[in-house]
Amino acid sequence: MIPKVLASPLKYIQGPGELSNIQFHLSHFDGPILFVMTGFAHTHLKNLINESYKKSEILIFEKFNGECTKNEIERFRTIYHTHSCKTVVGIGGGKAIDTAKGVAFYENCPVISIPTIASTDAPTSAIAVTYTDDHVFDGNLLLSKNPDLVLVDTTIILNAPVRFLVAGMGDALSTYFEARANEASGHENFVGGKPTNTSFALAKLCYDLLIRDGLKAKTSADKKEWSKEFENIIEANIYLSGVGFESNGLACAHSVYNALTILPNCHHMYHGELVAFGAIVQLILENRPEEEITEVIKFCLSIGLPVSLRDISNQELTPDDIIKVAKVACSPENFMASEPFEVTPEMVIDAMNKLKNFGN
């Protein structure tokens, strides 16, 4: 009998101004510490980190090149060895954090996630998503454990572009629907077991918070004003969605996302924006009740997430484009097998075509 397994980071800390306490939070990790940093983090946050550490020589700061590729991971591994590092920290968006996790995958070292945006599940998971140099999905690295610490400074996230927050809600939107598909199919999760009651409850809570607080959180972000709804959505986007997807599994929504990355016309879209579109495709594919689909579409429209093919491409997608996406989405390397019934490319094509001009 396959056991139930829930995966989670060892510790999750969230609050305004918490980056200024980084030395305290990282005090039990050995150095030197390699920081994989986006350009924003390198420019605007390095001094704050140095001040917390009193400009310690054990901190190695290096800019991330923008894409989580195997070549970029190897570049950081070289830096890691050059400075005899013992710990790696990813600070920035999901791809910078995944690059840090890629280093930890090969070096078997502690990894800390410090997101500066709330747009993906990357900070909490033991999965590093890699891409080719041409920005096409290239597979997952599965770490032996989740990050040792996730440190979320909500002041930094409040001042980030609002589109990142909205994209994070799009990514989080699929968590419950994909958990539900995996529960129905009896599929295993990403950590070698069946979903737990706890992980399914977290996924449902994630959805409930989005519907209840999502628009208010976006309004707070637009005004750069803190609110409890904003804090709730940060937790939903980062922790609930992260633990929820990893401990329950993925299904149609992320399969559609992965497939859409093969189309250059979609490369301007953020991960969560395409996942939100994939979530709607999944609901149509599963023939869910009209009121549920309507609730999701209204939510997406209210905060600015895509609901149609026109919304996700800078040029009209051709029938051949849609066929290619459907075939890749149903390929064995994706997650369509987690649905509780066999899904064919023709079914995906039909579901996507129902959204061809929706909302336009």
Side-chain angles (χ1 to χ4, degrees):
M1 183 175 178
I2 299 173
K4 293 183 176 183
V5 183
L6 184 146
S8 175
L10 183 62
K11 182 178 287 188
Y12 178 87
I13 300 170
Q14 174 183 316
E18 279 304 319
L19 187 63
S20 63
N21 299 319
I22 187 172
Q23 193 278 334
F24 172 77
H25 293 314
L26 270 62
S27 59
H28 61 289
F29 294 100
D30 292 334
I33 302 173
L34 172 62
F35 284 78
V36 178
M37 309 181 82
T38 58
F40 167 83
H42 196 271
T43 301
H44 297 285
L45 303 179
K46 183 172 71 172
N47 288 341
L48 179 62
I49 296 168
N50 264 326
E51 288 172 9
S52 179
Y53 271 88
K54 309 302 181 186
K55 298 186 178 180
S56 171
E57 294 182 357
I58 68 167
L59 308 182
I60 310 300
F61 300 107
E62 183 70 23
K63 278 187 184 180
F64 164 64
N65 280 341
E67 188 62 272
C68 181
T69 66
K70 290 169 183 175
N71 288 334
E72 182 71 344
I73 291 169
E74 286 302 314
R75 183 174 76 86
F76 273 100
R77 288 184 70 197
T78 299
I79 297 168
Y80 183 93
H81 285 287
T82 298
H83 296 278
S84 301
C85 294
K86 301 292 190 298
T87 303
V88 61
V89 176
I91 177 165
K95 292 185 177 183
I97 291 171
D98 276 358
T99 300
K101 289 192 293 184
V103 174
F105 173 82
Y106 290 108
E107 302 300 333
N108 194 29
C109 68
V111 60
I112 291 93
S113 301
I114 305 179
T116 56
I117 54 177
S119 63
T120 73
D121 302 326
T124 65
S125 79
I127 300 170
V129 183
T130 64
Y131 296 82
T132 68
D133 292 329
D134 296 324
H135 311 290
V136 177
F137 174 68
D138 193 35
N140 297 314
L141 299 177
L142 304 180
L143 281 71
S144 61
K145 61 182 178 65
N146 296 73
D148 298 82
L149 170 66
V150 179
L151 179 61
V152 184
D153 188 326
T154 51
T155 300
I156 294 170
I157 293 176
L158 183 62
N159 288 290
V162 177
R163 185 181 172 191
F164 288 121
L165 179 74
V166 172
M169 286 192 269
D171 194 27
L173 181 63
S174 74
T175 307
Y176 171 57
F177 305 135
E178 294 184 293
R180 188 170 60 183
N182 278 275
E183 182 186 51
S185 66
H187 205 269
E188 291 184 32
N189 58 23
F190 283 98
V191 286
K194 298 289 187 180
T196 64
N197 293 325
T198 301
S199 63
F200 190 80
L202 292 178
K204 182 60 166 62
L205 176 61
C206 183
Y207 179 74
D208 291 343
L209 287 176
L210 290 173
I211 298 300
R212 190 190 73 187
D213 294 342
L215 181 57
K216 290 180 180 179
K218 180 181 182 295
T219 300
S220 293
D222 284 331
K223 296 178 179 179
K224 303 302 179 189
E225 295 177 354
W226 181 92
S227 69
K228 65 179 182 180
E229 290 86 3
F230 177 78
E231 287 281 341
N232 287 343
I233 291 303
I234 298 307
E235 183 181 349
N237 283 9
I238 295 176
Y239 184 79
L240 296 176
S241 180
V243 174
F245 101 80
E246 190 172 20
S247 297
N248 292 297
L250 299 177
C252 174
H254 273 80
S255 298
V256 170
Y257 159 74
N258 286 340
L260 287 169
T261 67
I262 71 172
L263 301 180
N265 292 347
C266 296
H267 285 176
H268 65 292
M269 299 296 290
Y270 291 170
H271 170 88
E273 293 169 335
L274 295 179
V275 171
F277 175 80
I280 300 172
V281 172
Q282 178 173 333
L283 294 176
I284 293 172
L285 191 73
E286 294 176 347
N287 196 28
R288 290 294 172 179
E290 183 178 346
E291 56 267 26
E292 182 177 49
I293 298 174
T294 299
E295 180 178 65
V296 171
I297 288 174
K298 283 183 177 179
F299 170 74
C300 290
L301 290 172
S302 75
I303 64 171
L305 286 169
V307 299
S308 75
L309 287 174
R310 288 180 180 270
D311 293 338
I312 63 171
S313 176
N314 55 24
Q315 294 182 24
E316 185 173 355
L317 296 181
T318 68
D320 282 346
D321 289 333
I322 296 172
I323 290 170
K324 288 177 184 176
V325 168
K327 287 182 177 179
V328 172
C330 294
S331 61
E333 61 265 26
N334 277 308
F335 315 104
M336 207 65 84
S338 297
E339 292 291 332
F341 50 85
E342 183 179 358
V343 179
T344 66
E346 289 74 23
M347 295 165 66
V348 177
I349 292 168
D350 182 61
M352 290 180 67
N353 280 331
K354 288 180 180 177
L355 296 170
K356 187 172 184 180
N357 298 304
F358 190 88
N360 290 275

